[in-house]
mmCIF file of all heavy atoms in Angstrom:
data_model
loop_
_atom_site.group_PDB
_atom_site.id
_atom_site.type_symbol
_atom_site.label_atom_id
_atom_site.label_comp_id
_atom_site.label_asym_id
_atom_site.label_seq_id
_atom_site.Cartn_x
_atom_site.Cartn_y
_atom_site.Cartn_z
ATOM 1 N N LEU K 856 -19.420 -10.302 -13.526
ATOM 2 C CA LEU K 856 -18.026 -10.172 -13.952
ATOM 3 C C LEU K 856 -17.175 -11.293 -13.381
ATOM 4 O O LEU K 856 -16.342 -11.887 -14.073
ATOM 5 C CB LEU K 856 -17.461 -8.816 -13.504
ATOM 6 C CG LEU K 856 -17.878 -7.587 -14.308
ATOM 7 C CD1 LEU K 856 -17.349 -6.337 -13.639
ATOM 8 C CD2 LEU K 856 -17.386 -7.675 -15.736
ATOM 9 N N ALA K 857 -17.398 -11.580 -12.092
ATOM 10 C CA ALA K 857 -16.619 -12.639 -11.454
ATOM 11 C C ALA K 857 -16.896 -13.981 -12.113
ATOM 12 O O ALA K 857 -15.986 -14.777 -12.369
ATOM 13 C CB ALA K 857 -16.948 -12.703 -9.966
ATOM 14 N N ALA K 858 -18.173 -14.241 -12.393
ATOM 15 C CA ALA K 858 -18.535 -15.526 -13.009
ATOM 16 C C ALA K 858 -17.940 -15.657 -14.403
ATOM 17 O O ALA K 858 -17.574 -16.750 -14.849
ATOM 18 C CB ALA K 858 -20.057 -15.651 -13.080
ATOM 19 N N ALA K 859 -17.833 -14.536 -15.090
ATOM 20 C CA ALA K 859 -17.284 -14.568 -16.451
ATOM 21 C C ALA K 859 -15.767 -14.585 -16.481
ATOM 22 O O ALA K 859 -15.155 -14.676 -17.531
ATOM 23 C CB ALA K 859 -17.794 -13.346 -17.233
ATOM 24 N N GLY K 860 -15.160 -14.430 -15.290
ATOM 25 C CA GLY K 860 -13.704 -14.413 -15.219
ATOM 26 C C GLY K 860 -13.124 -13.041 -15.451
ATOM 27 O O GLY K 860 -11.921 -12.879 -15.519
ATOM 28 N N LEU K 861 -13.962 -12.009 -15.570
ATOM 29 C CA LEU K 861 -13.454 -10.659 -15.819
ATOM 30 C C LEU K 861 -13.101 -9.968 -14.524
ATOM 31 O O LEU K 861 -12.091 -9.285 -14.431
ATOM 32 C CB LEU K 861 -14.503 -9.836 -16.584
ATOM 33 C CG LEU K 861 -14.854 -10.376 -17.968
ATOM 34 C CD1 LEU K 861 -15.999 -9.558 -18.571
ATOM 35 C CD2 LEU K 861 -13.650 -10.354 -18.885
ATOM 36 N N GLY K 862 -13.952 -10.096 -13.510
ATOM 37 C CA GLY K 862 -13.652 -9.476 -12.226
ATOM 38 C C GLY K 862 -12.546 -10.219 -11.514
ATOM 39 O O GLY K 862 -11.537 -9.669 -11.136
ATOM 40 N N GLY K 863 -12.740 -11.545 -11.322
ATOM 41 C CA GLY K 863 -11.759 -12.333 -10.598
ATOM 42 C C GLY K 863 -10.417 -12.374 -11.281
ATOM 43 O O GLY K 863 -9.401 -12.599 -10.654
ATOM 44 N N GLY K 864 -10.392 -12.142 -12.605
ATOM 45 C CA GLY K 864 -9.140 -12.208 -13.328
ATOM 46 C C GLY K 864 -8.164 -11.119 -12.946
ATOM 47 O O GLY K 864 -6.988 -11.227 -13.214
ATOM 48 N N TRP K 865 -8.638 -10.074 -12.320
ATOM 49 C CA TRP K 865 -7.725 -9.014 -11.910
ATOM 50 C C TRP K 865 -6.927 -9.406 -10.688
ATOM 51 O O TRP K 865 -5.917 -8.835 -10.388
ATOM 52 C CB TRP K 865 -8.509 -7.748 -11.569
ATOM 53 C CG TRP K 865 -9.228 -7.163 -12.716
ATOM 54 C CD1 TRP K 865 -9.210 -7.584 -14.017
ATOM 55 C CD2 TRP K 865 -10.103 -6.057 -12.686
ATOM 56 N NE1 TRP K 865 -10.024 -6.804 -14.784
ATOM 57 C CE2 TRP K 865 -10.588 -5.844 -13.984
ATOM 58 C CE3 TRP K 865 -10.539 -5.209 -11.679
ATOM 59 C CZ2 TRP K 865 -11.477 -4.823 -14.305
ATOM 60 C CZ3 TRP K 865 -11.425 -4.192 -11.984
ATOM 61 C CH2 TRP K 865 -11.874 -4.001 -13.297
ATOM 62 N N LEU K 866 -7.433 -10.367 -9.934
ATOM 63 C CA LEU K 866 -6.776 -10.746 -8.698
ATOM 64 C C LEU K 866 -5.779 -11.864 -8.954
ATOM 65 O O LEU K 866 -6.055 -12.778 -9.721
ATOM 66 C CB LEU K 866 -7.805 -11.249 -7.676
ATOM 67 C CG LEU K 866 -8.709 -10.176 -7.071
ATOM 68 C CD1 LEU K 866 -9.824 -10.851 -6.292
ATOM 69 C CD2 LEU K 866 -7.922 -9.265 -6.159
ATOM 70 N N PRO K 867 -4.615 -11.833 -8.286
ATOM 71 C CA PRO K 867 -3.713 -12.969 -8.373
ATOM 72 C C PRO K 867 -4.387 -14.224 -7.817
ATOM 73 O O PRO K 867 -5.384 -14.149 -7.118
ATOM 74 C CB PRO K 867 -2.526 -12.543 -7.488
ATOM 75 C CG PRO K 867 -2.615 -11.052 -7.427
ATOM 76 C CD PRO K 867 -4.079 -10.733 -7.501
ATOM 77 N N VAL K 868 -3.792 -15.381 -8.081
ATOM 78 C CA VAL K 868 -4.421 -16.634 -7.684
ATOM 79 C C VAL K 868 -4.638 -16.715 -6.179
ATOM 80 O O VAL K 868 -5.535 -17.412 -5.730
ATOM 81 C CB VAL K 868 -3.580 -17.843 -8.148
ATOM 82 C CG1 VAL K 868 -3.591 -17.938 -9.652
ATOM 83 C CG2 VAL K 868 -2.143 -17.744 -7.646
ATOM 84 N N THR K 869 -3.833 -16.033 -5.387
ATOM 85 C CA THR K 869 -3.989 -16.114 -3.947
ATOM 86 C C THR K 869 -5.298 -15.512 -3.480
ATOM 87 O O THR K 869 -5.686 -15.692 -2.338
ATOM 88 C CB THR K 869 -2.843 -15.382 -3.229
ATOM 89 O OG1 THR K 869 -2.569 -14.158 -3.908
ATOM 90 C CG2 THR K 869 -1.605 -16.228 -3.208
ATOM 91 N N PHE K 870 -5.993 -14.776 -4.321
ATOM 92 C CA PHE K 870 -7.257 -14.183 -3.935
ATOM 93 C C PHE K 870 -8.443 -14.960 -4.482
ATOM 94 O O PHE K 870 -9.553 -14.497 -4.458
ATOM 95 C CB PHE K 870 -7.356 -12.732 -4.424
ATOM 96 C CG PHE K 870 -6.231 -11.883 -3.947
ATOM 97 C CD1 PHE K 870 -5.597 -11.021 -4.811
ATOM 98 C CD2 PHE K 870 -5.790 -11.958 -2.649
ATOM 99 C CE1 PHE K 870 -4.552 -10.231 -4.375
ATOM 100 C CE2 PHE K 870 -4.743 -11.184 -2.207
ATOM 101 C CZ PHE K 870 -4.128 -10.316 -3.077
ATOM 102 N N GLY K 871 -8.200 -16.149 -5.030
ATOM 103 C CA GLY K 871 -9.291 -16.950 -5.553
ATOM 104 C C GLY K 871 -10.122 -17.551 -4.427
ATOM 105 O O GLY K 871 -9.818 -17.414 -3.250
ATOM 106 N N GLN K 872 -11.169 -18.253 -4.793
ATOM 107 C CA GLN K 872 -12.056 -18.814 -3.796
ATOM 108 C C GLN K 872 -11.441 -20.027 -3.102
ATOM 109 O O GLN K 872 -11.902 -20.420 -2.043
ATOM 110 C CB GLN K 872 -13.388 -19.187 -4.456
ATOM 111 C CG GLN K 872 -14.132 -17.957 -4.972
ATOM 112 C CD GLN K 872 -15.433 -18.321 -5.633
ATOM 113 O OE1 GLN K 872 -15.772 -19.481 -5.750
ATOM 114 N NE2 GLN K 872 -16.167 -17.321 -6.076
ATOM 115 N N ASP K 873 -10.412 -20.625 -3.673
ATOM 116 C CA ASP K 873 -9.717 -21.734 -3.036
ATOM 117 C C ASP K 873 -8.410 -21.222 -2.450
ATOM 118 O O ASP K 873 -7.621 -20.572 -3.132
ATOM 119 C CB ASP K 873 -9.412 -22.843 -4.040
ATOM 120 C CG ASP K 873 -10.689 -23.459 -4.602
ATOM 121 O OD1 ASP K 873 -11.643 -23.586 -3.831
ATOM 122 O OD2 ASP K 873 -10.712 -23.787 -5.801
ATOM 123 N N LYS K 874 -8.160 -21.549 -1.182
ATOM 124 C CA LYS K 874 -6.916 -21.126 -0.552
ATOM 125 C C LYS K 874 -5.737 -21.894 -1.145
ATOM 126 O O LYS K 874 -5.844 -23.085 -1.426
ATOM 127 C CB LYS K 874 -6.975 -21.383 0.954
ATOM 128 C CG LYS K 874 -7.998 -20.534 1.691
ATOM 129 C CD LYS K 874 -7.995 -20.859 3.160
ATOM 130 C CE LYS K 874 -9.068 -20.078 3.900
ATOM 131 N NZ LYS K 874 -9.111 -20.412 5.329
ATOM 132 N N PRO K 875 -4.588 -21.235 -1.336
ATOM 133 C CA PRO K 875 -3.420 -21.934 -1.860
ATOM 134 C C PRO K 875 -2.999 -23.047 -0.906
ATOM 135 O O PRO K 875 -3.117 -22.924 0.302
ATOM 136 C CB PRO K 875 -2.348 -20.828 -1.925
ATOM 137 C CG PRO K 875 -3.104 -19.543 -1.864
ATOM 138 C CD PRO K 875 -4.343 -19.827 -1.089
ATOM 139 N N LYS K 876 -2.479 -24.134 -1.455
ATOM 140 C CA LYS K 876 -2.030 -25.243 -0.626
ATOM 141 C C LYS K 876 -0.896 -24.787 0.272
ATOM 142 O O LYS K 876 0.002 -24.064 -0.137
ATOM 143 C CB LYS K 876 -1.568 -26.406 -1.509
ATOM 144 C CG LYS K 876 -2.710 -27.059 -2.281
ATOM 145 C CD LYS K 876 -2.208 -28.205 -3.126
ATOM 146 C CE LYS K 876 -3.360 -28.855 -3.891
ATOM 147 N NZ LYS K 876 -2.886 -29.964 -4.751
ATOM 148 N N GLY K 877 -0.932 -25.236 1.521
ATOM 149 C CA GLY K 877 0.129 -24.904 2.458
ATOM 150 C C GLY K 877 0.006 -23.521 3.050
ATOM 151 O O GLY K 877 0.881 -23.087 3.778
ATOM 152 N N ARG K 878 -1.055 -22.793 2.745
ATOM 153 C CA ARG K 878 -1.203 -21.437 3.292
ATOM 154 C C ARG K 878 -2.572 -21.329 3.954
ATOM 155 O O ARG K 878 -3.483 -20.720 3.425
ATOM 156 C CB ARG K 878 -1.036 -20.403 2.181
ATOM 157 C CG ARG K 878 0.316 -20.455 1.508
ATOM 158 C CD ARG K 878 0.450 -19.360 0.470
ATOM 159 N NE ARG K 878 0.558 -18.059 1.078
ATOM 160 C CZ ARG K 878 0.549 -16.919 0.387
ATOM 161 N NH1 ARG K 878 0.429 -16.942 -0.908
ATOM 162 N NH2 ARG K 878 0.649 -15.760 0.998
ATOM 163 N N ASP K 879 -2.689 -21.971 5.090
ATOM 164 C CA ASP K 879 -3.956 -22.009 5.806
ATOM 165 C C ASP K 879 -4.112 -20.706 6.577
ATOM 166 O O ASP K 879 -3.792 -20.619 7.770
ATOM 167 C CB ASP K 879 -3.994 -23.222 6.738
ATOM 168 C CG ASP K 879 -5.352 -23.388 7.384
ATOM 169 O OD1 ASP K 879 -6.320 -22.790 6.878
ATOM 170 O OD2 ASP K 879 -5.442 -24.091 8.406
ATOM 171 N N ILE K 880 -4.570 -19.685 5.898
ATOM 172 C CA ILE K 880 -4.675 -18.361 6.501
ATOM 173 C C ILE K 880 -6.137 -17.949 6.629
ATOM 174 O O ILE K 880 -7.010 -18.490 5.967
ATOM 175 C CB ILE K 880 -3.890 -17.309 5.684
ATOM 176 C CG1 ILE K 880 -4.455 -17.209 4.272
ATOM 177 C CG2 ILE K 880 -2.405 -17.647 5.670
ATOM 178 C CD1 ILE K 880 -3.787 -16.139 3.433
ATOM 179 N N ILE K 881 -6.373 -16.989 7.508
ATOM 180 C CA ILE K 881 -7.721 -16.480 7.721
ATOM 181 C C ILE K 881 -8.052 -15.499 6.611
ATOM 182 O O ILE K 881 -7.323 -14.530 6.377
ATOM 183 C CB ILE K 881 -7.817 -15.790 9.098
ATOM 184 C CG1 ILE K 881 -7.530 -16.796 10.212
ATOM 185 C CG2 ILE K 881 -9.199 -15.160 9.291
ATOM 186 C CD1 ILE K 881 -7.318 -16.157 11.570
ATOM 187 N N THR K 882 -9.132 -15.754 5.914
ATOM 188 C CA THR K 882 -9.569 -14.873 4.835
ATOM 189 C C THR K 882 -11.001 -14.430 5.076
ATOM 190 O O THR K 882 -11.730 -15.023 5.872
ATOM 191 C CB THR K 882 -9.486 -15.580 3.469
ATOM 192 O OG1 THR K 882 -10.347 -16.722 3.473
ATOM 193 C CG2 THR K 882 -8.059 -16.012 3.160
ATOM 194 N N ARG K 883 -11.385 -13.393 4.359
ATOM 195 C CA ARG K 883 -12.758 -12.910 4.396
ATOM 196 C C ARG K 883 -13.260 -12.748 2.972
ATOM 197 O O ARG K 883 -12.499 -12.415 2.059
ATOM 198 C CB ARG K 883 -12.831 -11.556 5.139
ATOM 199 C CG ARG K 883 -12.575 -11.686 6.634
ATOM 200 C CD ARG K 883 -13.723 -12.406 7.320
ATOM 201 N NE ARG K 883 -13.479 -12.630 8.740
ATOM 202 C CZ ARG K 883 -13.039 -13.748 9.261
ATOM 203 N NH1 ARG K 883 -12.735 -14.759 8.462
ATOM 204 N NH2 ARG K 883 -12.885 -13.877 10.557
ATOM 205 N N ARG K 884 -14.541 -12.971 2.780
ATOM 206 C CA ARG K 884 -15.138 -12.941 1.457
ATOM 207 C C ARG K 884 -15.412 -11.506 1.012
ATOM 208 O O ARG K 884 -16.000 -10.707 1.757
ATOM 209 C CB ARG K 884 -16.442 -13.750 1.460
ATOM 210 C CG ARG K 884 -17.066 -14.027 0.105
ATOM 211 C CD ARG K 884 -16.164 -14.742 -0.860
ATOM 212 N NE ARG K 884 -15.534 -15.948 -0.375
ATOM 213 C CZ ARG K 884 -16.022 -17.172 -0.554
ATOM 214 N NH1 ARG K 884 -17.164 -17.350 -1.188
ATOM 215 N NH2 ARG K 884 -15.350 -18.222 -0.122
ATOM 216 N N LEU K 885 -15.000 -11.176 -0.201
ATOM 217 C CA LEU K 885 -15.238 -9.866 -0.781
ATOM 218 C C LEU K 885 -16.621 -9.811 -1.426
ATOM 219 O O LEU K 885 -17.249 -10.843 -1.666
ATOM 220 C CB LEU K 885 -14.161 -9.563 -1.820
ATOM 221 C CG LEU K 885 -12.745 -9.380 -1.267
ATOM 222 C CD1 LEU K 885 -11.758 -9.240 -2.410
ATOM 223 C CD2 LEU K 885 -12.669 -8.178 -0.339
ATOM 224 N N PRO K 886 -17.118 -8.623 -1.753
ATOM 225 C CA PRO K 886 -18.453 -8.517 -2.357
ATOM 226 C C PRO K 886 -18.619 -9.282 -3.664
ATOM 227 O O PRO K 886 -19.740 -9.639 -4.025
ATOM 228 C CB PRO K 886 -18.611 -7.003 -2.578
ATOM 229 C CG PRO K 886 -17.775 -6.380 -1.520
ATOM 230 C CD PRO K 886 -16.583 -7.290 -1.386
ATOM 231 N N ASP K 887 -17.523 -9.542 -4.380
ATOM 232 C CA ASP K 887 -17.646 -10.280 -5.650
ATOM 233 C C ASP K 887 -17.445 -11.779 -5.476
ATOM 234 O O ASP K 887 -17.394 -12.513 -6.452
ATOM 235 C CB ASP K 887 -16.680 -9.733 -6.698
ATOM 236 C CG ASP K 887 -15.224 -10.022 -6.375
ATOM 237 O OD1 ASP K 887 -14.945 -10.515 -5.255
ATOM 238 O OD2 ASP K 887 -14.359 -9.768 -7.229
ATOM 239 N N GLY K 888 -17.313 -12.241 -4.234
ATOM 240 C CA GLY K 888 -17.221 -13.668 -3.977
ATOM 241 C C GLY K 888 -15.825 -14.213 -3.815
ATOM 242 O O GLY K 888 -15.663 -15.391 -3.494
ATOM 243 N N HIS K 889 -14.793 -13.398 -4.017
ATOM 244 C CA HIS K 889 -13.426 -13.847 -3.825
ATOM 245 C C HIS K 889 -12.990 -13.614 -2.379
ATOM 246 O O HIS K 889 -13.620 -12.870 -1.640
ATOM 247 C CB HIS K 889 -12.487 -13.132 -4.796
ATOM 248 C CG HIS K 889 -12.618 -13.624 -6.198
ATOM 249 N ND1 HIS K 889 -13.599 -13.170 -7.038
ATOM 250 C CD2 HIS K 889 -11.914 -14.549 -6.898
ATOM 251 C CE1 HIS K 889 -13.490 -13.786 -8.207
ATOM 252 N NE2 HIS K 889 -12.480 -14.630 -8.143
ATOM 253 N N ASP K 890 -11.892 -14.259 -2.007
ATOM 254 C CA ASP K 890 -11.381 -14.169 -0.639
ATOM 255 C C ASP K 890 -10.219 -13.185 -0.550
ATOM 256 O O ASP K 890 -9.459 -13.023 -1.514
ATOM 257 C CB ASP K 890 -10.912 -15.540 -0.144
ATOM 258 C CG ASP K 890 -12.066 -16.492 0.109
ATOM 259 O OD1 ASP K 890 -13.199 -16.005 0.278
ATOM 260 O OD2 ASP K 890 -11.841 -17.717 0.118
ATOM 261 N N LEU K 891 -10.052 -12.589 0.622
ATOM 262 C CA LEU K 891 -8.950 -11.670 0.888
ATOM 263 C C LEU K 891 -8.367 -11.998 2.249
ATOM 264 O O LEU K 891 -9.119 -12.175 3.215
ATOM 265 C CB LEU K 891 -9.457 -10.223 0.881
ATOM 266 C CG LEU K 891 -8.408 -9.131 1.090
ATOM 267 C CD1 LEU K 891 -7.562 -8.964 -0.172
ATOM 268 C CD2 LEU K 891 -9.065 -7.809 1.465
ATOM 269 N N PRO K 892 -7.036 -12.092 2.384
ATOM 270 C CA PRO K 892 -6.437 -12.288 3.708
ATOM 271 C C PRO K 892 -6.878 -11.180 4.669
ATOM 272 O O PRO K 892 -6.928 -10.005 4.301
ATOM 273 C CB PRO K 892 -4.935 -12.221 3.424
ATOM 274 C CG PRO K 892 -4.809 -12.677 2.004
ATOM 275 C CD PRO K 892 -6.022 -12.125 1.311
ATOM 276 N N ALA K 893 -7.183 -11.566 5.901
ATOM 277 C CA ALA K 893 -7.845 -10.659 6.836
ATOM 278 C C ALA K 893 -6.907 -9.661 7.506
ATOM 279 O O ALA K 893 -7.369 -8.748 8.198
ATOM 280 C CB ALA K 893 -8.577 -11.470 7.912
ATOM 281 N N ILE K 894 -5.611 -9.800 7.321
ATOM 282 C CA ILE K 894 -4.652 -8.804 7.819
ATOM 283 C C ILE K 894 -3.980 -8.151 6.618
ATOM 284 O O ILE K 894 -3.387 -8.827 5.772
ATOM 285 C CB ILE K 894 -3.594 -9.424 8.741
ATOM 286 C CG1 ILE K 894 -4.245 -10.085 9.946
ATOM 287 C CG2 ILE K 894 -2.598 -8.350 9.201
ATOM 288 C CD1 ILE K 894 -5.046 -9.149 10.833
ATOM 289 N N GLY K 895 -4.115 -6.836 6.542
ATOM 290 C CA GLY K 895 -3.465 -6.058 5.499
ATOM 291 C C GLY K 895 -2.354 -5.213 6.086
ATOM 292 O O GLY K 895 -1.897 -5.435 7.217
ATOM 293 N N MET K 896 -1.945 -4.206 5.328
ATOM 294 C CA MET K 896 -0.833 -3.354 5.754
ATOM 295 C C MET K 896 -1.134 -1.904 5.430
ATOM 296 O O MET K 896 -1.458 -1.564 4.293
ATOM 297 C CB MET K 896 0.458 -3.782 5.041
ATOM 298 C CG MET K 896 1.704 -3.060 5.529
ATOM 299 S SD MET K 896 3.182 -3.498 4.568
ATOM 300 C CE MET K 896 3.104 -2.266 3.274
ATOM 301 N N GLY K 897 -1.025 -1.046 6.423
ATOM 302 C CA GLY K 897 -1.129 0.385 6.197
ATOM 303 C C GLY K 897 0.238 0.985 5.937
ATOM 304 O O GLY K 897 1.271 0.384 6.249
#
């Protein structure tokens, strides 16, 4: 799904495999290969 653009398409661009310019943040790789910022919010 991710390779076809169906899975990754649900995520905004900030969750893509390339970090946005100017936002050097710590991310972790999700099971589908995309990145997620390592601090969330409860």
